[in-house]
Short mmCIF file of all heavy atoms in Angstrom, two decimals:
data_model
loop_
_atom_site.label_atom_id
_atom_site.label_comp_id
_atom_site.label_asym_id
_atom_site.label_seq_id
_atom_site.Cartn_x
_atom_site.Cartn_y
_atom_site.Cartn_z
N SER A 16 6.21 7.88 11.08
CA SER A 16 5.21 6.97 11.60
C SER A 16 4.03 7.74 12.21
O SER A 16 2.92 7.14 12.34
CB SER A 16 5.84 6.07 12.63
OG SER A 16 6.14 6.74 13.82
N LEU A 17 4.23 8.96 12.62
CA LEU A 17 3.20 9.77 13.26
C LEU A 17 2.51 10.71 12.27
O LEU A 17 1.57 11.41 12.63
CB LEU A 17 3.78 10.62 14.38
CG LEU A 17 4.37 9.84 15.60
CD1 LEU A 17 5.06 10.77 16.52
CD2 LEU A 17 3.36 9.01 16.24
N ARG A 18 2.94 10.67 11.02
CA ARG A 18 2.35 11.53 9.96
C ARG A 18 0.89 11.32 9.85
O ARG A 18 0.39 10.24 9.68
CB ARG A 18 3.04 11.31 8.64
CG ARG A 18 2.60 12.24 7.55
CD ARG A 18 3.33 11.92 6.26
NE ARG A 18 2.88 12.85 5.27
CZ ARG A 18 2.99 12.63 3.98
NH1 ARG A 18 3.57 11.51 3.55
NH2 ARG A 18 2.56 13.49 3.12
N MET A 19 0.11 12.42 9.88
CA MET A 19 -1.38 12.32 9.74
C MET A 19 -1.67 12.07 8.24
O MET A 19 -1.16 12.73 7.38
CB MET A 19 -2.03 13.60 10.23
CG MET A 19 -1.82 13.85 11.70
SD MET A 19 -2.68 15.34 12.25
CE MET A 19 -1.54 16.58 11.69
N GLU A 20 -2.55 11.15 8.00
CA GLU A 20 -2.86 10.76 6.59
C GLU A 20 -4.22 11.31 6.17
O GLU A 20 -4.66 11.09 5.06
CB GLU A 20 -2.87 9.25 6.46
CG GLU A 20 -1.46 8.64 6.59
CD GLU A 20 -0.46 9.15 5.62
OE1 GLU A 20 -0.80 9.36 4.45
OE2 GLU A 20 0.72 9.36 6.00
N GLY A 21 -4.95 11.95 7.03
CA GLY A 21 -6.26 12.54 6.68
C GLY A 21 -6.07 13.84 5.89
O GLY A 21 -5.00 14.24 5.49
N TYR A 22 -7.22 14.48 5.64
CA TYR A 22 -7.25 15.73 4.86
C TYR A 22 -6.88 16.94 5.75
O TYR A 22 -7.14 16.95 6.94
CB TYR A 22 -8.60 15.89 4.25
CG TYR A 22 -8.79 15.05 3.01
CD1 TYR A 22 -9.19 13.70 3.09
CD2 TYR A 22 -8.50 15.53 1.75
CE1 TYR A 22 -9.30 12.92 2.01
CE2 TYR A 22 -8.61 14.74 0.63
CZ TYR A 22 -9.02 13.45 0.75
OH TYR A 22 -9.14 12.62 -0.38
N THR A 23 -6.30 17.95 5.06
CA THR A 23 -5.91 19.16 5.66
C THR A 23 -6.55 20.36 4.89
O THR A 23 -6.72 20.22 3.68
CB THR A 23 -4.35 19.31 5.61
OG1 THR A 23 -3.80 18.19 6.28
CG2 THR A 23 -3.84 20.58 6.27
N ASN A 24 -6.80 21.42 5.59
CA ASN A 24 -7.28 22.66 4.93
C ASN A 24 -6.18 23.14 4.02
O ASN A 24 -5.00 23.27 4.40
CB ASN A 24 -7.58 23.69 6.02
CG ASN A 24 -8.26 24.90 5.44
OD1 ASN A 24 -7.92 25.40 4.39
ND2 ASN A 24 -9.30 25.38 6.16
N TRP A 25 -6.54 23.48 2.79
CA TRP A 25 -5.48 23.87 1.81
C TRP A 25 -5.08 25.36 1.89
O TRP A 25 -4.28 25.83 1.07
CB TRP A 25 -5.89 23.47 0.42
CG TRP A 25 -6.97 24.24 -0.23
CD1 TRP A 25 -7.47 25.47 0.09
CD2 TRP A 25 -7.68 23.85 -1.40
NE1 TRP A 25 -8.50 25.88 -0.77
CE2 TRP A 25 -8.63 24.90 -1.69
CE3 TRP A 25 -7.68 22.78 -2.22
CZ2 TRP A 25 -9.51 24.78 -2.72
CZ3 TRP A 25 -8.56 22.69 -3.29
CH2 TRP A 25 -9.46 23.70 -3.53
N SER A 26 -5.65 26.07 2.86
CA SER A 26 -5.25 27.45 3.02
C SER A 26 -3.71 27.53 3.30
O SER A 26 -3.20 26.79 4.02
CB SER A 26 -6.00 28.04 4.19
OG SER A 26 -5.33 29.18 4.74
N GLU A 27 -3.08 28.44 2.57
CA GLU A 27 -1.62 28.53 2.69
C GLU A 27 -1.22 28.86 4.17
O GLU A 27 -0.27 28.37 4.68
CB GLU A 27 -1.04 29.58 1.75
CG GLU A 27 -1.03 29.08 0.33
CD GLU A 27 -0.14 29.92 -0.56
OE1 GLU A 27 0.72 30.63 -0.07
OE2 GLU A 27 -0.34 29.81 -1.78
N ASP A 28 -2.03 29.69 4.84
CA ASP A 28 -1.76 29.99 6.24
C ASP A 28 -1.82 28.75 7.10
O ASP A 28 -0.98 28.52 7.95
CB ASP A 28 -2.73 31.05 6.78
CG ASP A 28 -2.49 32.44 6.16
OD1 ASP A 28 -1.37 32.68 5.73
OD2 ASP A 28 -3.43 33.23 6.17
N VAL A 29 -2.88 27.94 6.90
CA VAL A 29 -3.05 26.73 7.65
C VAL A 29 -1.86 25.76 7.38
O VAL A 29 -1.25 25.25 8.30
CB VAL A 29 -4.35 25.99 7.35
CG1 VAL A 29 -4.42 24.63 8.04
CG2 VAL A 29 -5.54 26.86 7.87
N LEU A 30 -1.52 25.56 6.12
CA LEU A 30 -0.39 24.70 5.80
C LEU A 30 0.93 25.19 6.36
O LEU A 30 1.70 24.38 6.92
CB LEU A 30 -0.26 24.56 4.24
CG LEU A 30 -1.43 23.78 3.56
CD1 LEU A 30 -1.22 23.84 2.11
CD2 LEU A 30 -1.51 22.38 4.07
N ARG A 31 1.11 26.49 6.29
CA ARG A 31 2.41 27.00 6.86
C ARG A 31 2.49 26.78 8.38
O ARG A 31 3.58 26.45 8.87
CB ARG A 31 2.48 28.52 6.51
CG ARG A 31 3.73 29.19 6.93
CD ARG A 31 3.85 30.66 6.52
NE ARG A 31 2.75 31.42 7.09
CZ ARG A 31 1.90 32.15 6.40
NH1 ARG A 31 1.98 32.21 5.12
NH2 ARG A 31 0.96 32.80 6.99
N TYR A 32 1.40 26.95 9.11
CA TYR A 32 1.41 26.72 10.52
C TYR A 32 1.44 25.25 10.93
O TYR A 32 1.82 24.90 12.01
CB TYR A 32 0.27 27.43 11.22
CG TYR A 32 0.42 28.96 11.20
CD1 TYR A 32 -0.53 29.74 10.59
CD2 TYR A 32 1.47 29.55 11.87
CE1 TYR A 32 -0.37 31.12 10.54
CE2 TYR A 32 1.67 30.91 11.86
CZ TYR A 32 0.71 31.74 11.17
OH TYR A 32 0.86 33.08 11.16
N THR A 33 0.97 24.36 10.03
CA THR A 33 0.95 22.93 10.28
C THR A 33 2.38 22.41 10.19
O THR A 33 2.76 21.57 11.00
CB THR A 33 0.04 22.22 9.26
OG1 THR A 33 -1.28 22.80 9.32
CG2 THR A 33 -0.02 20.77 9.53
N ASP A 34 3.10 22.84 9.22
CA ASP A 34 4.50 22.34 9.07
C ASP A 34 5.31 23.46 8.39
O ASP A 34 5.06 23.80 7.24
CB ASP A 34 4.52 21.10 8.21
CG ASP A 34 5.88 20.39 8.18
OD1 ASP A 34 6.88 20.98 8.68
OD2 ASP A 34 5.93 19.27 7.64
N ALA A 35 6.27 23.97 9.11
CA ALA A 35 7.15 25.06 8.59
C ALA A 35 7.83 24.72 7.31
O ALA A 35 8.16 25.59 6.46
CB ALA A 35 8.12 25.49 9.64
N VAL A 36 8.08 23.45 7.05
CA VAL A 36 8.76 23.00 5.83
C VAL A 36 7.91 23.45 4.59
O VAL A 36 8.52 23.75 3.53
CB VAL A 36 8.94 21.46 5.80
CG1 VAL A 36 9.34 20.93 4.49
CG2 VAL A 36 9.93 21.03 6.90
N LEU A 37 6.62 23.48 4.69
CA LEU A 37 5.77 23.83 3.57
C LEU A 37 5.83 25.27 3.19
O LEU A 37 5.33 25.67 2.13
CB LEU A 37 4.30 23.43 3.91
CG LEU A 37 4.09 21.94 4.10
CD1 LEU A 37 2.66 21.70 4.50
CD2 LEU A 37 4.44 21.18 2.83
N GLU A 38 6.50 26.15 3.96
CA GLU A 38 6.73 27.55 3.54
C GLU A 38 7.57 27.61 2.31
O GLU A 38 7.43 28.53 1.52
CB GLU A 38 7.31 28.33 4.67
CG GLU A 38 6.37 28.61 5.78
CD GLU A 38 7.00 29.57 6.85
OE1 GLU A 38 7.63 30.57 6.45
OE2 GLU A 38 6.80 29.29 8.03
N GLN A 39 8.48 26.66 2.13
CA GLN A 39 9.38 26.70 0.99
C GLN A 39 8.72 26.37 -0.35
O GLN A 39 9.15 26.75 -1.39
CB GLN A 39 10.55 25.74 1.24
CG GLN A 39 11.36 26.11 2.46
CD GLN A 39 12.28 25.02 2.86
OE1 GLN A 39 12.51 24.03 2.14
NE2 GLN A 39 12.79 25.13 4.11
N LYS A 40 7.67 25.57 -0.28
CA LYS A 40 6.85 25.14 -1.43
C LYS A 40 7.63 24.29 -2.45
O LYS A 40 7.32 23.13 -2.58
CB LYS A 40 6.22 26.30 -2.12
CG LYS A 40 5.03 26.83 -1.36
CD LYS A 40 4.26 27.82 -2.25
CE LYS A 40 3.04 28.35 -1.55
NZ LYS A 40 2.32 29.26 -2.34
N ASN A 41 8.53 24.79 -3.19
CA ASN A 41 9.14 24.12 -4.32
C ASN A 41 9.79 22.79 -3.94
O ASN A 41 10.81 22.71 -3.35
CB ASN A 41 10.17 25.00 -5.02
CG ASN A 41 9.53 26.24 -5.62
OD1 ASN A 41 8.30 26.28 -5.78
ND2 ASN A 41 10.34 27.19 -5.95
N GLY A 42 9.15 21.70 -4.33
CA GLY A 42 9.67 20.33 -4.10
C GLY A 42 9.67 19.86 -2.68
O GLY A 42 10.44 18.92 -2.41
N THR A 43 8.94 20.48 -1.79
CA THR A 43 8.95 20.07 -0.41
C THR A 43 7.85 19.09 -0.13
O THR A 43 6.81 19.07 -0.79
CB THR A 43 8.86 21.27 0.57
OG1 THR A 43 7.62 21.94 0.27
CG2 THR A 43 10.02 22.22 0.42
N SER A 44 8.06 18.25 0.89
CA SER A 44 7.09 17.31 1.35
C SER A 44 6.97 17.36 2.88
O SER A 44 8.03 17.43 3.57
CB SER A 44 7.54 15.90 0.92
OG SER A 44 6.58 14.96 1.36
N SER A 45 5.75 17.45 3.38
CA SER A 45 5.58 17.56 4.82
C SER A 45 5.83 16.23 5.50
O SER A 45 5.43 15.19 4.98
CB SER A 45 4.14 18.04 5.09
OG SER A 45 3.92 17.97 6.52
N GLY A 46 6.43 16.29 6.68
CA GLY A 46 6.59 15.14 7.50
C GLY A 46 5.42 15.03 8.50
O GLY A 46 5.36 14.05 9.28
N VAL A 47 4.52 16.00 8.50
CA VAL A 47 3.45 16.07 9.50
C VAL A 47 2.11 15.71 8.90
O VAL A 47 1.32 14.99 9.51
CB VAL A 47 3.39 17.49 10.14
CG1 VAL A 47 2.33 17.55 11.15
CG2 VAL A 47 4.75 17.88 10.78
N VAL A 48 1.82 16.23 7.74
CA VAL A 48 0.54 15.98 7.02
C VAL A 48 0.78 15.46 5.64
O VAL A 48 1.86 15.58 5.11
CB VAL A 48 -0.34 17.25 7.03
CG1 VAL A 48 -0.78 17.67 8.41
CG2 VAL A 48 0.38 18.41 6.33
N ALA A 49 -0.29 14.94 5.01
CA ALA A 49 -0.19 14.41 3.65
C ALA A 49 -0.25 15.52 2.62
O ALA A 49 -1.20 15.64 1.87
CB ALA A 49 -1.31 13.39 3.44
N VAL A 50 0.80 16.31 2.57
CA VAL A 50 0.89 17.43 1.67
C VAL A 50 2.33 17.48 1.06
O VAL A 50 3.27 17.38 1.85
CB VAL A 50 0.57 18.75 2.32
CG1 VAL A 50 0.79 19.95 1.39
CG2 VAL A 50 -0.86 18.77 2.86
N ASP A 51 2.41 17.66 -0.20
CA ASP A 51 3.70 17.91 -0.82
C ASP A 51 3.50 18.89 -2.01
O ASP A 51 2.41 19.09 -2.45
CB ASP A 51 4.34 16.60 -1.33
CG ASP A 51 3.52 15.92 -2.43
OD1 ASP A 51 2.34 15.97 -2.39
OD2 ASP A 51 4.20 15.39 -3.39
N TYR A 52 4.62 19.56 -2.32
CA TYR A 52 4.59 20.46 -3.49
C TYR A 52 5.50 19.96 -4.54
O TYR A 52 6.55 19.37 -4.31
CB TYR A 52 5.13 21.85 -3.05
CG TYR A 52 4.13 22.65 -2.25
CD1 TYR A 52 4.21 22.70 -0.85
CD2 TYR A 52 3.14 23.36 -2.87
CE1 TYR A 52 3.26 23.43 -0.11
CE2 TYR A 52 2.21 24.10 -2.15
CZ TYR A 52 2.28 24.13 -0.81
OH TYR A 52 1.34 24.89 -0.07
N THR A 53 5.10 20.23 -5.80
CA THR A 53 5.95 19.92 -6.96
C THR A 53 7.14 20.89 -7.05
O THR A 53 7.14 21.93 -6.32
CB THR A 53 5.18 19.99 -8.27
OG1 THR A 53 4.80 21.30 -8.54
CG2 THR A 53 3.95 19.08 -8.20
N SER A 54 8.07 20.61 -7.92
CA SER A 54 9.20 21.53 -8.07
C SER A 54 8.78 22.91 -8.59
O SER A 54 9.46 23.87 -8.44
CB SER A 54 10.23 20.89 -9.01
OG SER A 54 9.61 20.61 -10.26
N LYS A 55 7.56 22.96 -9.21
CA LYS A 55 7.05 24.20 -9.71
C LYS A 55 6.25 24.96 -8.66
O LYS A 55 5.70 26.05 -8.96
CB LYS A 55 6.22 23.97 -10.99
CG LYS A 55 7.03 23.45 -12.13
CD LYS A 55 6.15 23.26 -13.36
CE LYS A 55 7.02 22.72 -14.53
NZ LYS A 55 6.29 22.53 -15.71
N GLY A 56 6.09 24.36 -7.48
CA GLY A 56 5.37 25.08 -6.42
C GLY A 56 3.89 24.85 -6.32
O GLY A 56 3.22 25.45 -5.46
N SER A 57 3.33 23.91 -7.12
CA SER A 57 1.91 23.63 -6.97
C SER A 57 1.77 22.34 -6.10
O SER A 57 2.73 21.58 -5.93
CB SER A 57 1.26 23.36 -8.38
OG SER A 57 1.92 22.38 -9.07
N LEU A 58 0.57 22.18 -5.57
CA LEU A 58 0.31 21.03 -4.68
C LEU A 58 0.51 19.75 -5.53
O LEU A 58 0.07 19.60 -6.65
CB LEU A 58 -1.09 21.05 -4.13
CG LEU A 58 -1.32 22.06 -3.04
CD1 LEU A 58 -2.78 22.22 -2.71
CD2 LEU A 58 -0.56 21.72 -1.77
N GLY A 59 1.20 18.74 -4.90
CA GLY A 59 1.45 17.49 -5.52
C GLY A 59 0.17 16.66 -5.62
O GLY A 59 -0.80 16.87 -4.83
N SER A 60 0.18 15.68 -6.48
CA SER A 60 -1.03 14.89 -6.74
C SER A 60 -1.39 14.01 -5.53
O SER A 60 -2.54 13.54 -5.42
CB SER A 60 -0.80 14.00 -8.00
OG SER A 60 0.27 13.15 -7.84
N TYR A 61 -0.45 13.74 -4.63
CA TYR A 61 -0.81 12.90 -3.48
C TYR A 61 -1.17 13.73 -2.24
O TYR A 61 -1.41 13.19 -1.21
CB TYR A 61 0.40 12.00 -3.17
CG TYR A 61 0.66 11.00 -4.24
CD1 TYR A 61 1.76 11.09 -5.09
CD2 TYR A 61 -0.23 9.89 -4.43
CE1 TYR A 61 1.97 10.14 -6.06
CE2 TYR A 61 -0.06 9.00 -5.45
CZ TYR A 61 1.05 9.11 -6.21
OH TYR A 61 1.24 8.21 -7.26
N SER A 62 -1.21 15.02 -2.42
CA SER A 62 -1.62 15.89 -1.33
C SER A 62 -3.11 15.68 -1.01
O SER A 62 -3.94 15.57 -1.87
CB SER A 62 -1.41 17.38 -1.66
OG SER A 62 -0.03 17.64 -1.78
#
Side-chain angles (χ1 to χ4, degrees):
S16 72
L17 297 174
R18 183 178 182 203
M19 295 182 284
E20 294 299 323
Y22 281 85
T23 303
N24 188 317
W25 72 18
S26 159
E27 287 196 19
D28 289 337
V29 172
L30 292 176
R31 185 177 58 236
Y32 289 118
T33 303
D34 190 351
V36 168
L37 296 175
E38 285 187 46
Q39 300 167 12
K40 285 192 177 179
N41 296 345
T43 59
S44 180
S45 173
V47 180
V48 292
V50 174
D51 65 322
Y52 283 100
T53 66
S54 58
K55 294 182 179 179
S57 59
L58 286 168
S60 61
Y61 294 108
S62 293

